Amino acid sequence: MAARHDPIIGIDLGTTNSVVAIVVDGQPRVLDEAGEKLLPSVVGINPQGQLVTGVAARNQLAAFPDRTVASIKRRMGSMDPVTLGDQTFTPPEISAMILRRLRDRASRAIGQPVNRAVITVPAFFDENQRQATREAASLAGLTVERIINEPTAATLVYHAGSHDRKQIAVYDFGGGTFDVSIVRMEAGVIEVLSSRGDVHLGGDDLDQVLVKRVADQFQAEHGVNLRENAQARYRLWQACELAKRQLSTAETVQIVEEFIAEKAGQPLHLTATVTRAEFEELIEPFVSRTIQSLDEALREAALTIHQLDDLVLVGGSTRIPLVEERLREEFLREPSRAVDPDLAVALGAAVQAAMIEGCSVGPVLVDVTGHTLGIEAYAGMTFAGPHLVFSPIIHRNMPLPARYEQAYSTLSDDQDAVDIHVLQGERPEAHRNQSIGRFRLNLETGGGNRSKIVVRFDLTLDGTLKVTATQPATGLSQVLTIDNALSRFQADERNRAEARLEAMFSESDELLDEEDRSFRNQWRAEGAEQEEAAAGPVSETAESRFPEAVALLKKAESLATSVESADAQDLKSLCANLKNAMTDGDPLAVAGLSAELDDLLFYVR
Ligand code: AMP
């Protein structure tokens, strides 16, 4: 790295982990230590009386809780003493030890002394807490060039250099805290309009529900409560935290901890299986609370979700598929999550630091999937035949390489094969996406139950997609490898594909009976109508299926001429989306969009 005069580093001083970054050649980069980018925000005194920070301190947390401190960020701004063994410290002194380690890491990585930093703090930090952060930096030998809000930093990662007026929600779900901020960016200046959160809601709480579920099962099986023994409790927590992370990409995990306890002189081993569906049910109340906070933050900023230009995901817990799914449903678009959510805040701090230094910063380069990849799935019968939907497995904008699994079931008990039809695209109906591969998995029948099928997608950096379908009960499995999955579906190609499908659709009309034909004609007529006039009337069928949505649309149409032009545009596209959802017969999308429209009407009235 070329030496530069008194460089400024960006620091995310986090509750669970801290990160340091710097801009090099116009690109923000995280500075690591032996490959480790995250520094656990933990400080301790080891049995030899030496100061330890990071992983070493975290490793002694269970064995020496009275000599170790984690989550000091929660205590910044208070003067409560922190005891480590026989010594006491102030919270800024503890934070200074973490900052000192990050400063040393940066100096080593860039090969020159570092004395200046931009440090991030939560938007809700008061002046006292910000002052304590400045003191910590000063104790660590760092001059604070600027303290910036974490949502501001995350916004900078995705929108640095943009001068357009934008309204962005930053949803930050970390290990110990959750907060969501609505920011406005105008002429390069970022202002936090509102911020809501819960300082006692984080990934740790999700670990705890899993700990409870596994410990309760163990107690029922062996009559031993693992939570009563500090060592067992710690091992259980570690295993559950790992299982939680694995469940972000796997459908099922096995938790195995040998010799975790003993009973009547006999060792006891822990073995538990947890499925993603079960985990999602356990954490659903927490996720709902975060969505409520998002709604509150929007209300406080006097905005609707529809007026947001972007939704930025920050914090490790945003990797949980349920979190992303709920946000996608709320936002009705893909949230921004291309940058590693653990690193986004530090990278943004580095962007701010470079701006202070007068360096130009380009957009952050990341490899992401350009299109959603998934399979065709059956979603019930309509009078026109089976309703086949697109079931996404890897969503658009996911960083590469990506690996995700999804579980399905067969339609009937005695089904002896399943067809896996791999699709690429963004449309809810299967046939409106591009087909990129197809294969069959033969199954073993018996047992009188529907078979569970797990489909895994592995997408590499060079665009090779490996699709694996497995029947877990028997281990039967089949693999399909598709080359160039990333480049297959360019925009013009997609248009051609759609036109071709549309043509095939008309041709196949000859084969349909009268009832099917009228359904399809109606479908096509509605589709054409939507292209022409977004606010046109909806069909009889939609009217009878979704009467509330129709009433809302009528209200929206009556207001369309009397609202401000920016709102009118929003109103028009929301109406068009709602009509699309009604045409597609997608009750979830209709409910979501109706709520949106209701919200918007409330504000424009
Ligand atoms: P942060 O404070 O942003 O570093 O977030 C740390 C939290 O994110 C911890 O609770 C981790 O367990 C959680 N986390 C990290 N990676 C994942 C993942 N892949 N799936 C679920 N949670 C994760």
Side-chain angles (χ1 to χ4, degrees):
M1 212 173 282
R4 63 191 203 224
H5 180 68
D6 218 357
I8 310 177
I9 52 174
I11 292 180
D12 168 11
L13 186 58
T15 309
T16 319
N17 294 300
S18 296
V19 183
V20 57
I22 193 165
V23 169
V24 182
D25 300 331
Q27 277 289 300
R29 275 199 211 154
V30 168
L31 301 173
D32 63 29
E33 213 173 310
E36 286 300 325
K37 293 180 171 169
L38 306 181
L39 177 76
S41 305
V42 188
V43 173
I45 306 282
N46 70 11
Q48 293 75 41
Q50 294 157 327
L51 173 74
V52 284
T53 50
V55 176
R58 194 183 56 193
N59 288 347
Q60 69 162 40
L61 193 56
F64 308 113
D66 52 339
R67 279 201 252 131
T68 318
V69 58
S71 305
I72 192 64
K73 189 169 175 177
R74 292 186 200 274
R75 298 200 234 168
M76 292 294 274
S78 89
M79 286 313 280
D80 298 346
V82 180
T83 308
L84 297 184
D86 53 8
Q87 302 183 54
T88 55
F89 300 91
T90 62
E93 281 177 306
I94 299 289
S95 286
M97 297 171 195
I98 299 164
L99 288 170
R100 180 60 205 249
R101 174 89 183 261
L102 293 171
R103 179 188 166 206
D104 290 348
R105 173 185 281 199
S107 300
R108 254 196 313 277
I110 65 176
Q112 66 182 107
V114 170
N115 307 303
R116 304 159 75 197
V118 166
I119 301 182
T120 60
V121 293
F124 59 79
F125 254 29
D126 61 20
E127 206 29 62
N128 229 351
Q129 292 164 305
R130 287 166 198 260
Q131 189 50 35
T133 307
R134 278 191 202 95
E135 273 166 30
S138 151
L139 289 171
L142 284 166
T143 303
V144 179
E145 293 298 329
R146 201 166 298 173
I147 294 270
I148 63 169
N149 290 317
E150 287 161 7
T152 302
T155 303
L156 278 174
V157 177
Y158 288 96
H159 299 278
S162 164
H163 282 260
D164 296 346
R165 184 176 199 256
K166 283 182 185 159
Q167 285 151 170
I168 295 159
V170 180
Y171 174 101
D172 183 348
F173 197 2
T177 57
F178 162 75
D179 59 87
V180 56
S181 304
I182 311 297
V183 304
R184 176 175 291 148
M185 190 167 185
E186 196 155 18
V189 176
I190 300 170
E191 176 197 3
V192 178
L193 299 179
S194 65
S195 196
R196 279 297 168 115
D198 194 331
V199 283
H200 299 291
L201 169 61
D204 302 348
D205 298 285
L206 313 184
D207 302 343
Q208 286 318 313
V209 290
L210 204 50
V211 163
K212 178 173 182 331
R213 139 81 174 80
V214 176
D216 284 351
Q217 181 191 325
F218 191 87
Q219 194 163 6
E221 283 168 4
H222 304 285
V224 173
N225 186 354
L226 292 174
R227 287 159 290 197
E228 280 170 0
N229 175 298
Q231 284 286 342
R233 196 171 55 227
Y234 181 70
R235 281 181 63 191
L236 178 63
W237 166 67
Q238 280 208 314
C240 287
E241 199 267 344
L242 177 64
K244 172 189 76 172
R245 281 190 276 124
Q246 290 170 334
L247 282 171
S248 291
T249 54
E251 268 295 328
T252 306
V253 291
Q254 270 251 311
I255 299 173
V256 180
E257 286 290 314
E258 292 185 334
F259 305 103
I260 194 162
E262 60 170 48
K263 189 177 176 185
Q266 291 299 312
L268 295 176
H269 311 301
L270 164 70
T271 335
T273 302
V274 186
T275 65
R276 189 190 294 162
E278 191 185 350
F279 177 62
E280 286 182 345
E281 206 178 309
L282 291 171
I283 65 166
E284 213 285 325
F286 296 97
V287 179
S288 288
R289 259 164 68 188
T290 70
I291 303 289
Q292 261 169 30
S293 294
L294 171 62
D295 290 342
E296 284 165 16
L298 278 165
R299 248 197 307 281
E300 203 180 309
L303 292 174
T304 67
I305 199 147
H306 193 63
Q307 292 168 295
L308 291 179
D309 297 291
D310 196 3
L311 173 63
V312 171
L313 304 192
V314 180
S317 302
T318 59
R319 291 203 183 88
I320 296 172
L322 178 69
V323 171
E324 274 201 80
E325 203 179 296
R326 291 289 303 274
L327 288 171
R328 204 175 283 121
E329 272 168 31
E330 283 284 307
F331 190 43
L332 300 165
R333 279 161 285 165
E334 282 296 321
S336 282
R337 54 142 299 156
V339 172
D340 186 330
D342 288 319
L343 310 178
V345 169
L347 291 168
V351 170
Q352 178 71 74
M355 286 158 65
I356 295 171
E357 281 189 81
C359 305
S360 67
V361 186
V364 178
L365 301 175
V366 278
D367 284 305
V368 292
T369 52
H371 302 287
T372 302
L373 294 158
I375 61 166
E376 185 178 82
Y378 174 81
M381 281 302 280
T382 68
F383 59 85
H387 183 205
L388 297 173
V389 293
F390 178 42
S391 167
I393 295 182
I394 298 183
H395 282 272
R396 188 165 61 173
N397 287 339
M398 285 289 182
L400 294 175
R403 164 185 284 197
Y404 285 90
E405 283 180 10
Q406 189 86 37
Y408 300 89
S409 85
T410 54
L411 278 177
S412 60
D413 304 348
D414 53 358
Q415 200 169 320
D416 58 8
V418 280
D419 280 322
I420 308 290
H421 185 189
V422 185
L423 301 171
Q424 184 177 46
E426 314 302 328
R427 316 298 289 257
E429 318 90 324
H431 71 273
R432 299 184 80 186
N433 297 284
Q434 167 93 337
S435 167
I436 58 168
R438 195 188 268 277
F439 65 101
R440 174 166 285 207
L441 170 68
N442 291 319
L443 305 170
E444 260 177 38
T445 54
N449 286 321
R450 290 182 182 191
S451 276
K452 180 176 164 182
I453 309 292
V454 174
V455 180
R456 195 176 82 201
F457 275 28
D458 285 274
L459 185 59
T460 63
L461 266 174
D462 64 9
T464 305
L465 175 67
K466 190 168 115 187
V467 181
T468 314
T470 311
Q471 182 183 27
T474 60
L476 284 171
S477 157
Q478 188 73 38
V479 180
L480 173 74
T481 301
I482 302 166
D483 292 329
N484 304 323
L486 287 176
S487 56
R488 278 178 175 241
F489 210 9
Q490 302 306 335
D492 54 343
E493 225 177 292
R494 163 208 273 273
N495 293 341
R496 275 203 300 280
E498 272 200 6
R500 196 172 56 235
L501 282 166
E502 197 60 30
M504 283 160 64
F505 212 53
S506 332
E507 278 162 24
S508 67
D509 263 5
E510 271 84 72
L511 307 171
L512 301 173
D513 64 29
E514 197 49 46
E515 194 179 49
D516 284 357
R517 195 169 305 138
S518 74
F519 174 80
R520 291 209 165 172
N521 285 340
Q522 175 195 314
W523 176 85
R524 232 185 275 134
E526 283 169 12
E529 206 168 84
Q530 279 149 21
E531 307 288 349
E532 300 264 333
V538 291
S539 78
E540 289 279 291
T541 322
E543 235 169 314
S544 52
R545 270 197 80 187
F546 305 110
E548 290 91 337
V550 172
L552 268 176
L553 278 171
K554 284 203 177 117
K555 202 189 299 175
E557 278 159 16
S558 71
L559 281 170
T561 49
S562 58
V563 299
E564 283 179 24
S565 63
D567 289 331
Q569 192 52 45
D570 286 346
L571 209 56
K572 195 173 162 195
S573 62
L574 196 47
C575 287
N577 289 341
L578 179 53
K579 282 186 185 175
N580 271 335
M582 290 164 74
T583 312
D584 293 342
D586 182 345
L588 267 182
V590 170
L593 286 159
S594 298
E596 285 295 302
L597 186 57
D598 204 17
D599 242 350
L600 185 59
L601 291 176
F602 177 79
Y603 285 105
V604 299
R605 256 195 300 251

